[in-house]
Amino acid sequence: MHSKLPRIGTTIFTVMSQMAKDFGAINLSQGFPGFDADPKLLELVAHFTTKGFNQYAPMSGIPELREIMAEKTMRCYGFLPDPVEEITIVSGATEAIFCAITAVVDPGDEVILLEPAYDSYEPAVILSGGIPIHVDLKPGEFSIDWEKVRHAVNFKTKALVINTPHNPSGYVWTEEDLKQLASLVRDRDIYVISDEVYEHITFDGRTHFSLVGHEELREKTFVCGSFGKTFHVTGWKIGYCIAPKDLMAEFRKVHQFVTFSTVTPIQYALAEYLKDAAHYEGVSSFYEKKRDFFFEGLKKTGLEIIPAQGSFFQMAYFGHLSKISDRELAERMTQQLKVACIPVSSFYHDKQDPKFIRFCFAKEEDELEEALNRLQGLSKIL
Ligand code: PMP
Ligand code: GLN
């Protein structure tokens, strides 16, 4: 049969999680927390499911959740979006990104993707008949090479997908990055899809600069977020999109035929839970302790690492230790050391291999400790 996505197979996250299961390995591959959410949040969901909040929610999300999200956006980023016309609750950031890309990309349009890139961007562009244009981030820190991005822009460029804090590298955009982006899209009809799912996970005092907080950029941007990452509930698949009224109108036309609306009782629970800002303001320091613990242990394995600036991932370079591919290393680690990770080549369309692997450190300390003990045997498998 003809395939609309001939180059796409099963995602690396599914492949490595399955391999971890098959070999009884500690799974630091796919990004999901190894601990549960706050019992208060779980109780709220139980409350709303048993009190009959179980039918379709409004297409754009329940007003209570959109209103508290507007307030939260004001509190965090200094801008108050209109909860009626500028915020939509969706079934995960993946849906938000898909709907935003589908809403703006026409056949033949070029969309700039910065690689390594999260795997859902490119298929969404291709399904709309768009042409992905790949620009590499600077290897090492994985910051933005603005010169290269500028070169990639032309009259066919319809959109740019960005991600801060970045998966897999953890790079956090600076104010200067926002300035560069603003000057790039100024006077051009280019939209920005801003994947900010790790907005509440930044380290060493770094600020997350949301594009919704930038006066000029927010006029052209779909900000996509996920409650799954912030509240340790990735399996709930619930997120949001913030965009100006005219963009949001088009976004909703797609959203209403992708999922129509999003799980009702969880929306009510989140609307209540978000009233206490401490529930999201403490997430960075919670993860920073895990980052530090994991980083210190990983240093002793011989891998070359620079501490992640944000997200719950730590990248590690192994090119000075071995010439094997990152995929081979990830497989040997899973099978022989019993620790699973993600080969970073999977985040490149051409599977280029800059010799990095990615670990998820969103785990309990004893699990991380055991993984670190096992990783001390790294030299034996190279
Ligand atoms: N973007 C990035 C960068 C991610 O890491 C994830 C997590 N899987 C997503 C989007 C998707 O988020 P969600 O699970 O809310 O769809
Ligand atoms: N975002 C998660 C990661 O990067 C994976 C989510 C998924 O499996 N699609 O590991």
Side-chain angles (χ1 to χ4, degrees), residues 58-78:
M59 182 272 278
S60 55
I62 63 163
E64 292 86 341
L65 182 53
R66 283 182 283 124
E67 276 154 25
I68 193 81
M69 280 305 293
E71 280 172 38
K72 172 179 174 290
T73 305
M74 180 66 198
R75 180 187 175 92
C76 296
Y77 309 122

Side-chain angles (χ1 to χ4, degrees), residues 92-94 97 118 121 163 167 195 197-198 226 229 234 237-238:
T94 312
I97 293 160
Y118 188 59
Y121 309 154
N163 173 211
N167 177 6
D195 179 348
V197 299
Y198 301 103
S226 173
K229 311 289 171 183
T234 58
K237 294 299 297 185
I238 179 162

Side-chain angles (χ1 to χ4, degrees), residues 235-268:
W236 288 3
K237 294 299 297 185
I238 179 162
Y240 64 89
C241 180
I242 306 175
K245 185 178 158 187
D246 52 338
L247 272 62
M248 188 51 84
E250 294 305 312
F251 177 98
R252 287 179 180 173
K253 288 181 194 172
V254 182
H255 162 69
Q256 65 182 345
F257 298 118
V258 174
T259 54
F260 176 66
S261 67
T262 297
V263 57
T264 306
I266 292 180
Q267 292 197 48
Y268 281 99

Side-chain angles (χ1 to χ4, degrees), residues 97 138 152 181 187 217 239 254-255 277 288 314 361 374-375 377-378:
I97 293 160
K138 290 183 191 164
L181 179 62
D187 305 324
L217 284 169
V254 182
H255 162 69
E288 188 164 320
Q314 176 66 53
F361 56 77
R374 296 180 188 186
L375 287 170
L378 182 65

